[in-house]
Amino acid sequence: MNGSSLMATSFHSSTTDSSTRHVFQRIRHELKRRWATVIRRENLGGDMLRLTFGGPDLADFNSPAFDDHIKLFLPADDTPIRSAPMDALVGRHYTPRYYDPATGELAIDFYLHETGVVTTWATQAQPGDEIVIGGPRGSTLPPNDFDWYVLAGDETALPAMARRLEELPAGKTAIALVEVARPGAEIPLPSQAAVTVIWVHRETASDSLADSLARLQLPPGEGYAWIASEASAARAARQVMIEQHGLPREWVRASGYWKRGESDQHVKLED
Ligand SMILES: Cc1cc2nc3c(=O)[nH]c(=O)nc-3n(C[C@H](O)[C@H](O)[C@H](O)COP(=O)(O)OP(=O)(O)OC[C@H]3O[C@@H](n4cnc5c(N)ncnc54)[C@H](O)[C@@H]3O)c2cc1C
């Protein structure tokens, strides 16, 4: 693989000693910073905006895993980006929603929350505007041999969840639990897999993401849970999957994708 190196990690089933089940592939990529230019903007509904980027630097972009993350770099003030020193730019994590190697186009879906350097920029971004993109640095490819998958998160996780559901093959079973602000903020989540989508409305529901996960009836067999949300909500959701639903820790991947009152947070929840 060009500019990338591959490792495989097997998390054995607790009921079989086969080392060929549940193998997670880890890929390291050469870390690059690339200039990217907005070529399209598209309102996805809810509070989600898609910006599609192009430009010669994206020709060798690579994002093999649905929860890959890149860093978007921008000036914190009105300085034109080409005049700002690289080390003065601020960075925020985002998910490559899709990359088309044929056209070199990269789409990123932005949740437009109340305030923030990137959110403000994205809200106003027009074709021709430029940004610097770093990464992805590494990818973890989950295996498709679990009996079922749970995906749970808020709007910041929606791009990764939508990508995972799109990439899951037919014959697989998934439950997606998505927290959005209010009724009407849902977006389509197409998949070839058998998917149950449950929407949780933050502004009106009394239940948190963790409460909703706790009430889930999980399918039989071995499952894998992927969770990303505000950090404390993701921590509580992870505990439910481990303590209440009994998933082995290594079959739960949970992250805080943002932290209330703080900027540029990525909290990996492991113990
Ligand atoms: C691995 C990873 C992948 C991510 N992928 C995506 C993605 O594809 N799309 C996406 O929209 N976001 C994604 N996020 C979340 C995004 O990085 C944060 O929301 C980020 O803080 C936004 O930057 P900002 O400059 O707009 O706000 P900041 O300047 O970072 O924050 C300003 C203020 O807004 C608050 N804030 C930040 N995010 C939210 C939020 N979601 N809701 C309410 N308040 C918030 C902060 O706590 C702070 O008080 C991802 C995060 C990680 C770690």
Side-chain angles (χ1 to χ4, degrees):
M1 205 169 299
N2 202 7
S4 302
S5 60
L6 185 69
M7 284 177 292
T9 312
S10 175
F11 294 128
H12 292 217
S13 155
S14 50
T15 54
T16 167
D17 63 1
S18 161
S19 60
T20 57
R21 275 177 69 71
H22 308 329
V23 177
F24 289 67
Q25 275 187 9
R26 308 211 194 270
I27 303 169
R28 287 228 176 89
H29 308 289
E30 184 191 337
L31 188 57
K32 283 192 179 176
R33 283 196 179 189
R34 298 173 167 90
W35 285 95
T37 307
V38 176
I39 53 177
R40 265 193 312 282
R41 49 180 293 142
E42 185 186 344
N43 189 345
L44 298 180
D47 302 306
M48 303 298 295
L49 169 77
R50 173 166 299 167
L51 294 178
T52 303
F53 297 84
D57 284 6
L58 291 177
D60 66 346
F61 185 82
N62 183 22
S63 171
F66 78 98
D67 64 349
D68 282 346
H69 45 98
I70 51 181
K71 230 162 174 188
L72 307 189
F73 292 98
L74 281 171
D77 54 24
D78 291 339
T79 311
I81 189 166
R82 289 278 180 180
S83 318
M86 274 292 172
D87 59 5
L89 303 181
V90 298
R92 302 283 186 268
H93 295 277
Y94 279 80
T95 305
R97 176 63 181 81
Y98 75 76
Y99 171 69
D100 181 349
T103 58
E105 289 184 7
L106 169 68
I108 300 173
D109 293 351
F110 297 82
Y111 171 53
L112 304 178
H113 64 95
E114 269 177 30
T115 176
V117 175
V118 168
T119 299
T120 305
W121 176 85
T123 305
Q124 299 163 359
Q126 294 300 327
D129 289 352
E130 292 183 298
I131 197 165
V132 173
I133 292 177
R137 189 190 288 268
S139 305
T140 301
L141 288 158
N144 281 340
D145 62 358
F146 281 99
D147 299 303
W148 49 265
Y149 296 84
V150 164
L151 301 163
D154 64 11
E155 294 93 338
T156 61
L158 201 42
M161 293 167 77
R163 181 172 161 183
R164 177 65 173 150
L165 293 176
E166 240 168 54
E167 291 174 358
L168 258 186
K172 293 289 147 193
T173 300
I175 301 170
L177 196 78
V178 196
E179 184 189 279
V180 292
R182 60 189 168 278
E186 300 87 356
I187 62 166
L189 292 172
S191 178
Q192 295 181 340
V195 181
T196 305
V197 182
I198 301 165
W199 296 94
V200 180
H201 302 113
R202 191 167 46 243
E203 288 172 5
T204 51
S206 51
D207 283 353
S208 64
L209 202 61
D211 295 333
S212 306
L213 274 178
R215 279 206 314 276
L216 280 186
Q217 290 269 18
L218 295 174
E222 294 177 343
Y224 175 71
W226 183 93
I227 298 162
S229 182
E230 194 280 325
S232 58
R235 184 172 288 108
R238 177 176 183 266
Q239 287 310 103
V240 165
M241 293 312 294
I242 294 169
E243 287 169 14
Q244 188 168 329
H245 289 302
L247 256 69
R249 284 176 147 61
E250 61 271 26
W251 294 353
V252 182
R253 182 170 162 100
S255 313
Y257 266 19
W258 62 282
K259 224 172 165 180
R260 203 167 297 285
E262 293 180 39
S263 291
D264 187 25
Q265 294 292 308
H266 185 194
V267 185
K268 291 182 187 159
L269 298 166
E270 292 156 354
D271 45 49

